[in-house]
Amino acid sequence: MKFRNIVTGVCVAMAFIACDDNTGNMGLDITDGSDILSVSTDSFVVHSQSVAAAPAIARNSNGYLGQFTDPETNTPITANFMAQFATLENFSMPTADKIVSKVGGMVVADSCELLLFYENGVGDSLAPLRISMFEMSQPLNESQTYTTAFNPVTAGVVNTSVPMTTKTFTLEDQSVSATERAKKDYSPSIRFQLSQPYQDATGTTYNNYGTYLMRQYYQHPEYFRNTYYFVNHVVPGFYFQITNGTGAIAKIYNAVLQVYYRYNVDGVVHTGVAKFGGTQEVKQVTQIINQPAALTSLLNDNTGTYLKTPSGILTELTLPINDIMLGHENDSINAAKITLQRINNTSVNGYALQAPQQVLMVESDSLQSFFSHHQVTDYKNSFTTTLSNNGYTFSNIGSLVRSMYTKRKNGSTSPNWNKVVIIPVTTTTMNVQDNGYNNMVITGVYNDLNIRSTKLVGGNTPLRITVIYSRFK
């Protein structure tokens, strides 16, 4: 049952709106007050349901690596990781005659290593995981959009006959002391030593991978002048695959390929390091392997709805657009507010999943294009909000309500014309100065590939959206 409370006066409208973070199209100008505007509020029922998520766009500022059993479905989730590496513009090394280490008059590297820097993701910090590292036979297509369902082995871009190296690790790095781990500047990493003999695609053998890189540089310095040439002619990338163990998934936030060498300057020997980083300039793709059938029981649970990542479950809302606009076709929508309240997790599992910290609301028909076209929230047709007071509040989606109504009025026949989805995301931001003030601006919105889950009030329990209108008398 809906309720209505008619009030007049700008002050009342502003009192409601002042509580909202996003005011959108307020539709109010400074006026003389209650003799000019009529302001009213109303609330309407919103229905929600859980829907299966399609494979997520794998473009992300982080990668994920490991295997973990989901305590809600008792099924394993596996995360493998592909990384490419960039070179700095106009990259350079000392001239070959200054390199100290040589064999048969040709330069050699002292050693080479690849490091994956990570944060604790989820699971048992002491669970051992074994990773095989494979060289990619060709780079990923920079113009192609990859999803978490992409399998580089079946796609033929990885030769898995023999791994370059293998590594066993735990989230709590046991290779360094507790004292070292406690230091502020300590960053845990999975370290792959690449100092064993390496054979390139032409059949040439080098004493280590670093020597291959150095000789490529001295024979073809043009391959190192920018990232495109480097990826297509020198290092197409690597695939990291979980081959044994379960219990944890690491969140990879940086990858670095390092080559160590010595060089002579005026009779003094120095140690040099050539570094190539995994940045957002190049492809970083996470492959997620899970069992969609295991989600069936949660999808059919009508006591609420779910948000579950990665590539799991979204919550879909059906907004009562016609009811909201009935009798208010020419009114301004000053605010339209809806809160999705969490149902607290009662699991006693030691590794119960955390709730997503940030979610996106976007029209159902626009979900895939939003991510594939690198869109960011505009607070007109797409909105982000963070977990607060045990729920997710969208303070003002009035512009979206008006947009949906206009599309329908103009002849939209989409069955999803009045539906939005709620999807967990991560964002990147930057500070932008405007008239001397620092404003935080969202620069990227990505599918959240962390293993997270929460249950929301909904399903058989209707939600409500509260709307504030105003009209000139």
Side-chain angles (χ1 to χ4, degrees):
M1 179 181 296
K2 72 176 184 177
F3 65 92
R4 174 166 295 183
N5 177 27
I6 304 298
V7 292
T8 57
V10 178
C11 294
V12 178
M14 295 306 292
F16 280 104
I17 296 164
C19 298
D20 297 332
D21 296 327
N22 306 312
T23 56
N25 178 20
M26 292 171 55
L28 291 176
D29 295 321
I30 297 175
T31 70
D32 291 332
S34 60
D35 290 336
I36 299 177
L37 284 180
S38 174
V39 179
S40 61
T41 67
D42 212 338
S43 79
F44 305 87
V45 168
V46 175
H47 296 287
S48 64
Q49 65 175 347
S50 297
V51 295
I57 300 295
R59 183 189 307 109
N60 205 295
S61 55
N62 299 300
Y64 298 84
L65 186 60
Q67 184 167 268
F68 176 77
T69 298
D70 180 352
E72 286 184 317
T73 61
N74 199 34
T75 57
I77 298 174
T78 303
N80 300 318
F81 178 57
M82 287 156 276
Q84 293 180 327
F85 293 83
T87 182
L88 295 175
E89 295 289 333
N90 300 315
F91 170 85
S92 66
M93 294 177 67
T95 56
D97 62 294
K98 290 184 169 60
I99 300 298
V100 172
S101 297
K102 289 187 173 71
V103 172
M106 301 183 69
V107 300
V108 295
D110 292 328
S111 63
C112 182
E113 63 182 1
L114 190 151
L115 296 90
L116 299 178
F117 291 94
Y118 65 90
E119 301 170 349
N120 286 353
V122 64
D124 184 352
S125 63
L126 296 179
L129 298 167
R130 190 165 184 81
I131 306 168
S132 292
M133 173 180 164
F134 299 91
E135 185 179 25
M136 298 183 70
S137 57
Q138 64 187 68
L140 297 176
N141 188 335
E142 63 178 11
S143 62
Q144 181 175 338
T145 298
Y146 293 92
T147 72
T148 52
F150 177 70
N151 186 328
V153 177
T154 57
V157 298
V158 172
N159 181 3
T160 57
S161 57
V162 180
M164 291 182 68
T165 186
T166 58
K167 176 75 174 183
T168 299
F169 86 103
T170 57
L171 288 180
E172 184 176 296
D173 189 357
Q174 300 296 298
S175 66
V176 299
S177 66
T179 302
E180 287 296 316
R181 293 198 299 268
K183 292 182 178 179
K184 287 184 178 180
D185 59 350
Y186 166 72
S187 297
S189 64
I190 308 169
R191 189 181 299 264
F192 297 89
Q193 296 294 337
L194 301 177
S195 297
Q196 63 275 18
Y198 167 77
Q199 186 179 83
D200 69 10
T202 68
T204 304
T205 300
Y206 307 85
N207 68 321
N208 62 51
Y209 191 74
T211 297
Y212 159 74
L213 289 173
M214 292 184 70
R215 291 187 184 174
Q216 288 296 306
Y217 172 77
Y218 291 115
Q219 293 171 13
H220 300 283
E222 69 276 11
Y223 292 169
F224 291 74
R225 68 184 182 186
N226 61 41
T227 295
Y228 175 83
Y229 281 95
F230 183 70
V231 168
N232 283 275
H233 295 283
V234 185
V235 181
F238 302 97
Y239 174 56
F240 304 91
Q241 183 182 44
I242 295 296
T243 52
N244 199 6
T246 188
I249 290 183
K251 179 180 180 179
I252 311 296
Y253 67 87
N254 194 16
V256 180
L257 179 61
Q258 300 184 148
V259 180
Y260 296 89
Y261 58 91
R262 287 168 294 153
Y263 63 101
N264 190 314
V265 178
D266 298 328
V268 179
V269 176
H270 301 266
T271 297
V273 184
K275 294 187 177 184
F276 308 94
T279 69
Q280 292 190 46
E281 294 179 351
V282 287
K283 294 283 188 181
Q284 312 291 329
V285 175
T286 297
Q287 175 197 18
I288 301 294
I289 303 172
N290 57 17
Q291 299 179 27
L295 301 176
T296 301
S297 63
L298 300 184
L299 288 167
N300 293 332
D301 179 5
N302 293 322
T303 62
T305 65
Y306 287 86
L307 296 176
K308 193 170 186 63
T309 61
S311 300
I313 301 177
L314 312 180
T315 287
E316 181 182 75
L317 308 180
T318 301
L319 300 178
I321 303 298
N322 287 335
D323 292 342
I324 292 173
M325 298 305 299
L326 183 63
H328 296 279
E329 292 83 354
N330 299 317
D331 293 354
S332 294
I333 298 178
N334 303 118
K337 179 178 180 180
I338 185 169
T339 296
L340 309 177
Q341 203 65 38
R342 286 188 63 227
I343 299 174
N344 289 331
N345 191 342
T346 58
S347 171
V348 296
N349 186 290
Y351 301 108
L353 302 180
Q354 294 183 359
Q357 295 302 298
Q358 197 168 19
V359 296
L360 165 76
M361 176 188 288
V362 67
E363 293 176 78
S364 296
D365 287 339
S366 301
L367 176 60
Q368 290 301 314
S369 62
F370 181 91
F371 292 103
S372 62
H373 294 163
H374 305 264
Q375 295 179 26
V376 296
T377 44
D378 58 11
Y379 295 99
K380 295 179 181 178
N381 295 93
S382 57
F383 308 80
T384 52
T385 191
T386 56
L387 179 63
S388 179
N389 297 321
N390 208 36
Y392 306 95
T393 296
F394 293 91
S395 296
N396 188 6
I397 61 170
S399 59
L400 177 61
V401 170
R402 175 68 70 176
S403 174
M404 286 179 156
Y405 176 74
T406 301
K407 288 178 184 177
R408 185 64 167 180
K409 189 176 179 181
N410 290 339
S412 172
T413 58
S414 168
N416 298 321
W417 73 274
N418 59 346
K419 299 181 189 300
V420 296
V421 288
I422 311 299
I423 178 171
V425 294
T426 60
T427 59
T428 55
T429 60
M430 67 178 296
N431 278 318
V432 176
Q433 280 204 344
D434 184 16
N435 294 325
Y437 294 94
N438 283 329
N439 295 318
M440 190 70 72
V441 176
I442 293 177
T443 57
V445 180
Y446 308 95
N447 287 277
D448 188 352
L449 299 185
N450 289 288
I451 297 182
R452 300 188 187 277
S453 182
T454 194
K455 188 176 182 180
L456 304 174
V457 173
N460 292 333
T461 303
L463 309 175
R464 298 198 78 87
I465 183 171
T466 302
V467 183
I468 301 175
Y469 309 92
S470 68
R471 70 173 65 175
F472 284 96
K473 290 185 177 180

